[in-house]
């Protein structure tokens, strides 16, 4: 829906369905909830350091307020559907930039436990990488490098992870456990996304296949439509010319079909066409091709079948159609068919081939219908 846009370029208003909007909002809520939980858990680790006397209480309290405040900003934007103006409705680059900036600020504010905040930077990039484009990743990496340069190059303050006391060791362990757990969550999230994309690819493949089938089928009868049956005819002619094998066709017409529509109504006429098509499919070979040529006319392509066999096959089909209990649709109803059969001549084109079959069909009608005539 949003083609040709850069990852964060605003786009003209697009009519997204309510279902799509709700699904997007739900996905963003889950992601923001995970971020909120992460800030709560890391605040608990900072409180342990505070209890050990490593950092003052202002560090965990300010970290919690700043982190949750940043998450709430994106929650407000999401619920207001501001995000839906962009192709990347997660605003991934802005979220990564905001959270990384927050970690670097606290790295400067409390370098004595700086490795805790650096580990969070890795997590942010790991999670953001699942949704960032290559362009976004380069921008995020560049901004982070610019932010880290002053910390490491312009400051002599040591960045540490204290483990002097038992409480500090507990806090360090909790920090690593939390980091490892979040890494596992990122991996699980990535695995879920891959499985979702894998399943979606199969769904799309099945959908495309169904679309292709529908594009080649006549909606009413389920037989091949004219475009499809003509393609099959061309393929059969090419195969016959290439191998020198015979190929026959039959143009079939339901006798007095207009009278059936006038007498019994078009719904009944439609059922007659469907029943006729089903009966034909059930009584032709697997290699034969059957399609609706137009109206009540149908084309049957008979590869590897000479004129005599084609005449016998069509006469058998004619008898089957005539013997069906058509009175089930309406008392007294009788349906028959006429057909013109033609066998391919050397170097003959499809137009001439069809014209000869059409002439034979015209002759069958002229001779009284319910009969098969050879070109």
């Amino acid at each position: 829906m949003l083609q040709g846009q850069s990852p964060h370029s605003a786009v003209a208003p697009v009519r997204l369905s309510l279902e799509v909007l709700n699904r997007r909002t739900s996905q963003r809520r889950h992601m923001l909830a995970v971020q909120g939980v992460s800030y709560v858990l890391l605040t608990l680790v900072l409180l342990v350091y505070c209890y050990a006397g490593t950092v003052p209480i202002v560090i965990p309290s300010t970290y919690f307020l700043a982190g949750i405040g940043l998450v709430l900003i994106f929650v407000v934007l999401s619920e207001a559907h501001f995000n839906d103006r962009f192709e990347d409705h997660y605003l991934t680059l802005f979220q990564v930039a905001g959270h990384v900036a927050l970690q670097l600020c606290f790295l400067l504010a409390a370098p004595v436990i700086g490795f805790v905040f650096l580990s969070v930077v890795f997590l942010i990039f790991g999670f953001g990488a699942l949704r960032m484009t290559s362009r976004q990743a380069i921008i995020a990496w560049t901004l982070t490098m610019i932010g880290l340069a002053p910390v490491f190059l312009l400051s002599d303050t040591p960045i540490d992870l204290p483990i002097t006391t038992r409480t500090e060791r507990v806090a360090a362990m909790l920090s690593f456990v939390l980091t490892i757990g979040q890494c596992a969550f990122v991996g699980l999230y990535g695995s879920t996304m891959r499985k979702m994309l894998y399943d979606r690819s199969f769904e799309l493949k099945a959908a495309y296949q169904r679309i292709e089938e529908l594009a080649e089928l006549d909606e009413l009868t389920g037989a091949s439509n004219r475009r499809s049956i003509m393609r099959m005819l061309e393929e059969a002619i090419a195969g016959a010319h290439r191998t020198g094998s015979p190929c026959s066709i039959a143009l079939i017409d339901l006798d007095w079909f207009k009278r059936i529509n006038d007498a019994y109504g078009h719904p009944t006429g439609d059922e007659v066409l469907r029943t006729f098509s089903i009966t034909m499919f059930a009584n032709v070979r697997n290699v034969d091709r059957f399609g609706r040529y137009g109206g009540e006319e149908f084309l049957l392509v008979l590869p590897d079948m000479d004129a005599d066999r084609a005449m016998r096959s069509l006469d058998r089909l004619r008898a089957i159609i005539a013997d069906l209990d058509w009175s089930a649709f309406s008392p007294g109803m009788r349906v028959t068919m006429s057909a013109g059969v033609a066998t391919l001549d050397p170097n003959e084109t499809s137009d001439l081939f069809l014209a000869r079959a059409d002439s034979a069909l015209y002759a069958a009608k002229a001779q009284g219908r319910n009969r098969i005539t050879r070109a």
Side-chain angles (χ1 to χ4, degrees):
M1 288 180 293
L2 304 173
Q3 297 178 353
Q5 302 295 328
S6 61
H8 289 291
S9 58
V11 298
V14 178
R15 289 186 177 181
L16 297 174
S17 68
L18 183 60
E19 180 184 358
V20 172
L21 289 174
N22 289 338
R23 184 175 68 248
R24 283 183 164 196
T25 303
S26 176
Q27 291 169 344
R28 293 195 295 264
R29 285 172 182 168
H30 289 146
M31 183 186 67
L32 293 169
V34 170
Q35 294 177 10
V37 171
S38 295
Y39 276 108
V40 170
L41 293 175
L42 190 56
T43 300
L44 295 176
V45 174
L46 297 180
L47 286 172
V48 176
Y49 275 118
C50 179
Y51 178 78
T54 309
V55 294
I57 187 63
V58 69
I59 295 297
S61 57
T62 306
Y63 184 83
F64 174 78
L65 293 175
I68 296 300
L70 182 59
V71 172
L72 287 177
I73 290 174
F74 287 104
V75 168
V76 171
L77 294 176
S78 175
E79 295 302 315
H81 295 287
F82 175 82
N83 303 46
D84 293 313
R85 302 180 185 183
F86 301 88
E87 183 177 7
D88 177 15
H89 67 97
Y90 289 96
L91 302 181
T92 306
L93 182 58
F94 297 110
Q95 290 206 51
V96 169
H99 292 301
V100 169
L102 182 63
Q103 306 310 313
L104 295 181
C105 288
F106 277 89
L107 175 60
L108 291 172
V112 68
I113 55 170
F115 275 97
V116 174
F117 302 111
L118 283 177
S119 66
V120 179
V121 172
F122 286 106
L123 284 172
I124 293 170
F125 264 88
F127 195 75
L130 296 175
R131 293 198 174 275
M132 284 193 292
T133 64
S134 56
R135 178 174 176 270
Q136 290 174 318
I138 292 173
I139 294 173
W141 176 76
T142 302
L143 293 176
T144 304
M145 181 179 62
I146 294 173
L148 286 172
V151 174
F152 285 94
L153 302 180
L154 303 180
S155 173
D156 295 329
T157 304
I159 298 172
D160 204 354
L161 182 67
I163 52 174
T164 304
T165 66
R166 177 64 61 181
T167 307
E168 287 179 338
R169 285 180 172 273
V170 170
M173 182 201 71
L174 291 176
S175 175
F176 281 115
V177 168
L178 178 61
T179 301
I180 294 170
Q182 290 177 313
C183 286
F185 175 81
V186 171
L188 179 62
Y189 182 75
S191 176
T192 302
M193 287 184 62
R194 287 193 298 272
K195 184 178 184 304
M196 180 182 67
L197 291 173
Y198 184 77
D199 294 340
R200 186 66 57 85
S201 67
F202 274 97
E203 293 173 3
L204 289 174
K205 184 177 180 180
Y208 286 138
Q209 184 176 358
R210 180 58 179 159
I211 290 172
E212 290 177 355
E213 290 175 355
L214 292 175
E216 295 190 346
L217 296 181
D218 176 64
E219 184 178 359
L220 176 62
T221 63
S224 299
N225 58 26
R226 182 177 180 124
R227 181 177 62 86
S228 178
I229 193 63
M230 289 300 294
R231 176 179 56 79
M232 295 174 182
L233 173 62
E234 294 289 352
E235 292 173 354
I237 291 174
H241 286 327
R242 184 173 59 255
T243 62
S245 58
C247 178
S248 298
I249 60 172
L251 266 179
I252 305 168
D253 184 84
L254 293 183
D255 297 328
W256 308 113
F257 185 72
K258 186 177 183 302
R259 295 183 182 179
I260 294 174
N261 275 336
D262 293 341
Y264 303 105
H266 287 279
T268 300
D270 291 345
E271 289 300 324
V272 168
L273 290 175
R274 276 191 284 266
T275 302
F276 170 75
S277 296
I278 293 171
T279 304
M280 293 294 290
F281 273 122
N283 289 279
V284 297
R285 302 173 303 169
N286 290 335
V287 296
D288 296 336
R289 299 294 179 259
F290 178 73
R292 192 177 183 186
Y293 192 66
E296 67 272 17
E297 280 193 346
F298 294 82
L299 176 61
L300 179 61
V301 181
L302 304 164
D304 299 318
M305 189 175 288
D306 58 27
D308 291 335
R309 288 178 60 201
M311 287 294 292
R312 290 194 298 270
S313 177
L314 265 294
D315 197 59
R316 179 180 62 85
L317 292 170
R318 180 201 60 78
I320 290 172
I321 296 300
D323 290 341
L324 287 178
D325 184 15
W326 295 100
S327 61
F329 291 118
S330 187
M333 177 186 288
R334 185 169 180 265
V335 178
T336 58
M337 67 174 236
S338 300
V341 175
T343 301
L344 185 67
D345 290 334
N347 301 319
E348 188 173 32
T349 64
S350 59
D351 290 339
L352 183 55
F353 198 15
L354 285 167
R356 292 197 300 114
D358 188 59
S359 297
L361 174 59
Y362 182 82
K365 292 180 180 181
Q367 293 172 22
R369 291 178 168 79
N370 191 22
R371 65 187 65 244
I372 311 299
T373 303
R374 180 188 303 182

